[in-house]
Structure formats: structure tokens, C-alpha cells
Amino acid sequence: MSAVLAASTPDSASALENVSATSGEAIGKKHKQAAIASASARQALAKLVDGYFDFCFKASPDRATSLGIHDYDALMPDYAAEAVAKQVAGLKDYLSRFQSVELAALDARQQIDCDLIVSQIKAQLLELENIQNWRRNPDYYSSYANQAVYCLLSREFASIDDRLKVIIARQKQIPALLAQGKKNVVNPPRIYTEIAIEQMPGILDFFQTSVPQKAAAATDKVLLAEFTKTNEQVVAALKDYEKYLKEQLLAQSTASFALGRDSYARKLLYEEMVDTPLPELLAAGEAELKRLQAQFKSTAALISADKSATDVFTTISSEHPAPDRLISSTAAVLGDLRAMCVDKQIVSIPFSDELQVTEMPAFMRALAFAAMDTPGPFEAKARESYYYVTLPEKDWKLERVEEHMRSFCKYDLLNTSVHEAFPGHFVQGLWLRNAPSKTAKIVGCNSNAEGWAHYCEEMMVEEGLNNHDPKLKLVQIHDALLRVCRYIVGIKMHTA
């Protein structure tokens, strides 16, 4: 009370004002200094981030092209042992620099970005130093050669003449890349070599057929002649590589593909930020398998109480389009799916992009039956998106054609299109352009991308897709069962 009374006298009031002014100036000065320090820290981080991604894109230039960053379009990676050692040293330097960042001076978004990059660097180091697919997987080289040119050709981000210039630049480096593959890969797992061999016809077809067809539109005939020469050299190098795989490497392919418990756990930690112990992950998968199996049986009983669940599903999966109508049948479901997403306010579509349903490229058919290819978040001009579906091969027997087409029954066409298009990968790819930072646009993980698409499948059924038809629900559960089996098998085969 006395302090309050004293403050009311003229002299005391003046003194209090002076003290308050001095304190205010000190606080303001501190705030200003903190703001300057924070701005400086943000600028330093932005510069470090830019330098890091420049380093990464020079090592994997196709990644930059796919993201819509075209400063690296003429480059190819170098997998000579000394180049890999240099890359490892560079990554370790960046790891140290990011780990030294003073996080307290940054906002929450920037702190997250730092965590993402640190984790990504650790994942790259694990790959290059421990797992070493560049020493274990011959497909690493032939598929990279294919992807490096495909990502330049698939979207019209520049004229065909301008793109042909960088295609030629990359093609000139492909024979050396394949030669590095021969030198680096010693005693790989047999399954890796078998997959590489299985992929080769599609890769060769791409360079022998697809690339020349696209290049033919070029107006610069001198450039076109140079392309023809380099493309022939690429085809010859690929045929030589294929012969090497079949006649030499396959017989030498005796190593185990299993990663082992340590590498598997570290891969999960660095790539997905999952630190749950492997036994707990496996137990969760096995519990989910039992849950889905029970759901599969109870849902099948709603459709037909006097048939086994397997028989019910077999009947449903037989309702599929003819192979020559697969693309049109897939395209036909997209409009209703998009409308449902918008009308029921499930998700908004940030803008309209061109989505084309088309045949899976030959070089992708060995490992996929459906896929989505969206333009990168930095792509300023080319907006084409491709929903790929795999058609039966012409030399397949009728039994294999029927087995393949059962994966595209009328209900699976819906479920797969939810996964790939609306509101799955396609919509997520559109929204990625609005991610809050450069790092967030570039660094992601499979559990986010595939997790979103898998979640969408079940969510759309719950929201009433196809009028709550239990046949669609059964197909959705069947696809979920496939994923949980992969999950369990993956953990067991790599760690046990």
C-alpha cells in the first residue's frame, strides 16, 4: 500500500516514469536484437539449405528434373568409387553443419526442416556406406539411364529442340554409367539381377521406339542427326549390358538381399522417422492381419452367406473389363470420384490439372500394375499428370491375362483410382506445390505418400462411395490385406 501511495507524489511519479522508460528501452532493444539474430539465423539456414540441395541435385540430377528444377538437366550421376567417396564426405560435412544450427533462433517450420534434412542425410549415408545398392543392384544403372531421359521427355516444359539438347547431353554419359555398373556390382543378390534382366526389354524399347518417336518432332535437323547417333550408342551400350547381365553376372549373383536388423531399423528411423522396435512393428502388423481377415470374412458373408469368403471374392473379381477397354474404363470412374471429393467436402482440389489415363511405360511394367506420375512442385510450365495402368502383354497365355485383369475388376478400378487419383496420389501431388517451404516440397517419405493413399481407400468407402456396396468394401479389404502381408513379409525376410 505504501508503495502505491508513494508513487502518487510528483517526484516519485517522475522517477517511476524514468524507470519505466529505461526498462522499456532495454526490453525493446533486446527484442530488436533477438529479431535481428533470428533474421540472421533464417538467412544463414536458407543459404545452407540451398547449398545442400545443389549438392544433392548434382549427385542425382534426374531428381531435380522430376521436381521441376531444370538447372541440372544436362547432368548425369557419377558412381566411380572415388566420386562416391567424395559424395559421402560432402554429406558428412553438411550433416555436421546442419547439426550445428542453433534451433532456438528458428521458428517451428525451420526447425522441422532442419530435422527433415538431418534425417535425409543420414538415410543417404546409410545407403551409400552400408546398404550400398550401387554395389549390389545392377538395375540401379540401367533403370537410372532410362529414368534420366524419360523425365526429360515425358513433359513439355520446353520445346522438343531444347529438350533434345539436354537429352543428348545425358545420353552421351549413359555408356560410361553402364560401364560403372559392370565394375561396381559384384556378387549381387540373384533376385536383383533377375529383375534387372526382366526390366531390360522395356528399357530397350523405350530408347529404340519411344525416344526416337518424340525426337522426330524436332525442327533442328543437325540436332536430330546428333541425337540419332547418341541414341544408337545408348542402345548398343544397353544391349551389351543386357548380355553381360545374362551371360556373366547372373551366375555370380549369390548374395543375400536381406538388409539385416540393424540396417532395416536404421532405414526406418532415417527415412520414416520411425523408432518403434521391430518386434512391436511386427506384432502390430500381425494384429492388423487378423483384424482384416475377420473383416474380410464378415463382409463376404453380407454378400453371400452360403459361400466361402474366397469364393465370394473370386466371383466379384471376375467382373472386369476386356483388356482393350481397361484404359477407357479407368478414365470413366474419375469424374464421379472427383465430384464426390468436392461435393462432400472431403478434400478441395487446389487447381485443375490435366490427368491422362494411359498405358504403363514398358520399362515400368515388371514391377507395377498401376502408378501415378504428377509434375514436380517446382514445375512452372508442364502440368501433365499420368495415371498409368499395365495392360496384359501380347505373348501372355489366356490364364495369365485373366489373372492380371482380375486386379482391375469393376470394384478394384474404383478402389485403385481412389488410391492413385482422387483423393490419393494425384490430389496430394497437386497440394505439394503449396507446401510451406522448399525443404517440405522436396523431402518426403513413403509412409506419408502411401499412407495417405491407403487411408483414402478406406475413408472413401466409409463416406459412401458406390452407395456403401459391400462388394467394394470387400475389394478394399482385400487390397489392405495385400499391403499388410507385404509389411509382415518385408520385416521377416529382411530381419529374420
Side-chain angles (χ1 to χ4, degrees):
M1 179 66 74
S2 60
V4 173
L5 290 173
S8 65
T9 65
D11 290 342
S12 297
S14 177
L16 185 60
E17 286 174 4
N18 290 334
V19 169
S20 298
T22 303
S23 299
E25 287 176 6
I27 292 171
K29 187 175 182 180
K30 287 182 179 179
H31 283 167
K32 186 176 181 180
Q33 289 173 340
I36 292 171
S38 179
S40 177
R42 290 196 299 271
Q43 291 173 359
L45 177 64
K47 186 176 180 180
L48 183 60
V49 167
D50 286 342
Y52 166 69
F53 283 122
D54 177 65
F55 175 84
C56 290
F57 293 149
K58 286 174 180 174
S60 299
D62 73 304
R63 176 66 175 143
T65 304
S66 296
L67 286 165
I69 300 170
H70 296 292
D71 300 327
Y72 309 84
D73 285 351
L75 302 181
M76 286 288 279
D78 186 353
Y79 284 106
E82 56 272 19
V84 173
K86 186 176 180 181
Q87 186 182 356
V88 167
L91 286 169
K92 288 181 177 178
D93 177 60
Y94 272 108
L95 179 61
S96 175
R97 292 163 69 182
F98 275 103
Q99 288 178 327
S100 299
V101 170
E102 182 56 56
L103 295 178
L106 305 174
D107 61 29
R109 176 68 253 171
Q110 293 162 326
Q111 291 178 24
I112 291 171
D113 287 348
C114 274
D115 284 344
L116 288 172
I117 290 176
V118 165
S119 196
Q120 186 191 61
I121 293 174
K122 289 179 178 179
Q124 291 181 81
L125 289 171
L126 177 68
E127 166 59 36
L128 292 172
E129 292 188 295
N130 297 82
I131 297 173
Q132 294 191 325
N133 272 310
W134 63 282
R135 289 190 185 277
R136 284 163 43 89
N137 191 353
D139 185 56
Y140 203 78
Y141 296 89
S142 44
S143 282
Y144 196 108
N146 191 105
Q147 173 61 21
V149 175
Y150 174 77
C151 63
L152 294 170
L153 206 59
S154 60
R155 289 188 176 84
E156 296 182 5
F157 59 84
S159 69
I160 185 61
D161 290 69
D162 287 340
R163 284 183 288 146
L164 206 53
K165 292 174 185 176
V166 288
I167 286 172
I168 290 169
R170 282 189 173 175
Q171 283 191 328
K172 286 180 177 179
Q173 301 168 75
I174 287 175
L177 178 70
L178 297 173
Q180 287 176 345
K182 286 185 181 181
K183 184 177 180 179
N184 290 341
V185 180
V186 179
N187 188 29
R190 186 175 181 86
I191 186 65
Y192 286 4
T193 307
E194 290 174 342
I195 288 174
I197 292 171
E198 188 176 356
Q199 296 271 71
M200 286 303 300
I203 293 173
L204 278 166
D205 179 70
F206 174 70
F207 283 101
Q208 290 175 311
T209 306
S210 301
V211 184
Q213 285 176 350
K214 290 275 189 177
T219 59
D220 188 330
K221 301 308 176 184
V222 174
L223 194 67
L224 189 57
E226 185 181 7
F227 158 77
T228 300
K229 181 180 178 180
T230 58
N231 195 63
E232 288 173 352
Q233 292 169 346
V234 168
V235 170
L238 285 166
K239 287 181 176 179
D240 177 69
Y241 193 68
E242 181 182 35
K243 182 179 179 181
Y244 168 76
L245 295 177
K246 290 179 177 179
E247 297 181 4
Q248 295 185 50
L249 193 62
L250 185 61
Q252 303 166 11
S253 303
T254 61
S256 170
F257 65 82
L259 294 175
R261 295 180 67 85
D262 178 64
S263 290
Y264 193 93
R266 289 167 65 193
K267 190 173 176 68
L268 278 175
L269 177 61
Y270 301 153
E271 293 184 7
E272 312 290 338
M273 292 187 177
V274 171
D275 59 3
T276 307
L278 291 177
E280 292 183 30
L281 291 174
L282 183 58
E286 289 173 336
E288 178 68 355
L289 174 62
K290 291 179 181 179
R291 185 186 75 85
L292 288 170
Q293 287 171 330
Q295 272 197 357
F296 188 77
K297 292 177 181 178
S298 62
T299 303
L302 295 175
I303 300 167
S304 178
D306 59 349
K307 290 184 179 180
S308 71
T310 304
D311 287 343
V312 171
F313 180 79
T314 300
T315 300
I316 291 171
S317 65
S318 67
E319 301 176 43
H320 58 73
D324 62 354
R325 298 195 62 188
L326 177 56
I327 291 175
S328 60
S329 298
T330 303
V333 307
L334 298 182
D336 288 343
L337 288 177
R338 189 188 192 285
M340 179 177 173
C341 288
V342 174
D343 294 345
K344 299 195 73 170
Q345 297 185 332
I346 290 170
V347 64
S348 56
I349 315 297
F351 41 81
S352 179
D353 262 23
E354 183 182 355
L355 177 57
Q356 304 172 26
V357 182
T358 188
E359 184 177 0
M360 186 80 71
F363 59 87
M364 295 173 63
R365 292 174 196 162
L367 297 175
F369 79 96
M372 178 59 61
D373 181 6
T374 56
F378 299 97
E379 186 57 70
K381 183 178 179 181
R383 296 300 178 91
E384 306 96 325
S385 291
Y386 302 104
Y387 177 2
Y388 296 126
V389 291
T390 299
L391 302 181
E393 299 290 349
K394 292 182 175 59
D395 60 350
W396 284 2
K397 294 182 179 180
L398 289 177
E399 294 83 1
R400 187 175 180 187
V401 172
E402 174 62 19
E403 180 184 355
H404 179 79
M405 292 306 300
R406 282 177 179 271
S407 296
F408 294 103
C409 75
K410 61 181 288 189
Y411 302 100
D412 234 325
L413 274 181
L414 273 176
N415 196 56
T416 300
S417 296
V418 166
H419 179 112
E420 299 293 347
F422 297 104
H425 292 318
F426 175 64
V427 174
Q428 189 178 33
L430 296 185
W431 273 106
L432 186 58
R433 298 181 197 177
N434 293 338
S437 70
K438 179 178 182 177
T439 299
K441 291 178 180 179
I442 296 172
V443 182
C445 65
N446 286 329
S447 58
N448 178 275
E450 292 303 323
W452 166 253
H454 296 168
Y455 160 76
C456 286
E457 293 178 21
E458 186 170 1
M459 176 270 293
M460 289 289 278
V461 170
E462 291 176 350
E463 287 292 322
L465 178 62
N466 212 47
N467 297 316
H468 295 284
D469 189 337
K471 293 180 179 179
L472 175 61
K473 177 64 176 175
L474 191 69
V475 166
Q476 180 266 312
I477 297 170
H478 177 271
D479 287 350
L481 277 165
L482 174 64
R483 279 71 174 259
V484 77
C485 287
R486 287 176 181 163
Y487 174 96
I488 293 168
V489 167
I491 294 174
K492 287 188 173 182
M493 295 181 77
H494 278 292
T495 69

